[in-house]
Amino acid sequence: MKPRFRSRVHDERVAARIGLWLGITFGLCFVTGLLSHGIQNPPGWFTWPTRPVSLYRITQGVHVISGVAAIPLLLAKLWSVYPKLFGRAHILERGSILVLVCAAFFELITGLFNVAQNYPWSFFFPTAHYAVAWVAVGALLAHIAVKLPVIKRALKTPVRDEPAPGMSRRNFLFTTGAVTGAAVLATAGATVPWLRDVSVLAWRSGKGPQGIPVNRTARAAGVARVDPQWTLEVVGPRVRTFTLAQLQAMPQVEAELPIACVEGWSASARWSGVRVADLLRSAEVDPMSTVVVESLERAGKYRSSVLPPNHAADELTLLALRLNGEELDIDHGYPCRLIAPSRPGVLQTKWVSQLKVMS
């Protein structure tokens, strides 16, 4: 027997409006995700600006917040349209919808696990997340193309409710919007400081040594102890070596800069140390150079990072020695760490041992 769906919310007008909201959140999430991927894996033509200093904090915050908002919207969208699965849709259309739903759930669920830094799988999250994002967006565009006439008609038709038992269409839309807003409010404090008191589910908002969260501790990185004879090498046409005391004796620059991580959390702090540009000049290197920043950490994908020329030359790109007026905690990269404006936290290399100019 053909199932009967009596609820008024199983309606193309409801589905189209929620779909519009979902499309906006997916679009924001996809574009900001591409930016984050490009910053961490830059193609030759890509240059990420250093200003404003909080630019990456904003784009990655939007990425995670829009992903959170998409979860209740996706569930509401599926509830409004699932009777169509029992209709006479072409098998190819059903197949494309299945691909879209599976890819969307993969992106949102793995994204949530990444935010919690919990990885119950064997694949490398960034690579898989990036690849499936293209699948999801491709399936979404194909679905919109097929359903465009229906979407246009539904959006032009007012949402009216006839007297009947059960939730009305307007109440369903209002409830969906309210739940989405609540989800955003409960988590946005991870990157929006003035929301931290009300964001009950915000992660890593201010906990950690010296009031700043830490993703990877010194013990986890195998740098629980730093040799007292530690030195920093600056390798260019000539090699310069600096002890910690010599770095501390150089002109110190203080800057208010955020740490912004790919998981969406961010925090501002006062950092002070030596300009990377000054260290490069000491090795007779043009500050507008590409620099490899090496860490004392001996393993891990992010044990070193590449500092592009515009960041290397920026006056606010520092080898930080102090955080909020105190000597760096070992978990924040003692004896010195990289801190640069508008840059992902995974590329703000800690426990720096060498700056090497790429020829």
Side-chain angles (χ1 to χ4, degrees), residues 1 12 15 18 33 38 96 102 148 173 207 212 224 237 259 269-270 277 282 299 307 310 322 344 346 356:
M1 179 180 294
E12 67 179 26
I18 295 176
S96 66
C102 290
L148 191 57
L173 289 171
K207 300 175 182 177
I212 301 297
I259 281 283
R270 288 182 297 107
S282 74
L307 198 60
N310 62 323
R322 302 180 70 82
V346 293
K356 184 177 182 179

Side-chain angles (χ1 to χ4, degrees), residues 31 44 63 117 120 155 163 195 207 219 233 239 244 279 292 332-333 335 346 350 354 356:
V31 171
H63 179 70
Q117 290 195 299
L155 290 176
L195 285 178
K207 300 175 182 177
R219 184 174 297 277
E233 273 193 343
V239 177
L244 180 57
L279 290 168
V292 178
H332 282 303
V346 293
K350 297 192 285 189
Q354 186 185 77
K356 184 177 182 179

Side-chain angles (χ1 to χ4, degrees), residues 271-330:
W271 306 89
S272 60
V274 182
R275 287 192 179 100
V276 168
D278 291 342
L279 290 168
L280 295 178
R281 291 187 187 97
S282 74
E284 300 178 359
V285 172
D286 181 356
M288 282 295 291
S289 300
T290 300
V291 179
V292 178
V293 184
E294 298 281 356
S295 172
L296 292 173
E297 184 178 1
R298 293 305 175 200
K301 181 177 176 61
Y302 301 108
R303 62 161 300 278
S304 66
S305 67
V306 176
L307 198 60
N310 62 323
H311 276 83
D314 193 281
E315 62 181 9
L316 294 183
T317 297
L318 309 178
L319 271 189
L321 307 175
R322 302 180 70 82
L323 167 58
N324 289 332
E326 302 174 350
E327 183 178 75
L328 283 178
D329 184 272
I330 185 69

Side-chain angles (χ1 to χ4, degrees), residues 214-236:
V214 170
N215 272 8
R216 188 165 174 80
T217 65
R219 184 174 297 277
V223 195
R225 180 181 177 276
V226 176
D227 189 326
Q229 303 303 313
W230 169 91
T231 58
L232 171 74
E233 273 193 343
V234 182
V235 181

Side-chain angles (χ1 to χ4, degrees), residues 130-142:
Y130 176 73
V132 178
W134 284 103
V135 175
V137 168
L140 176 61
L141 293 176

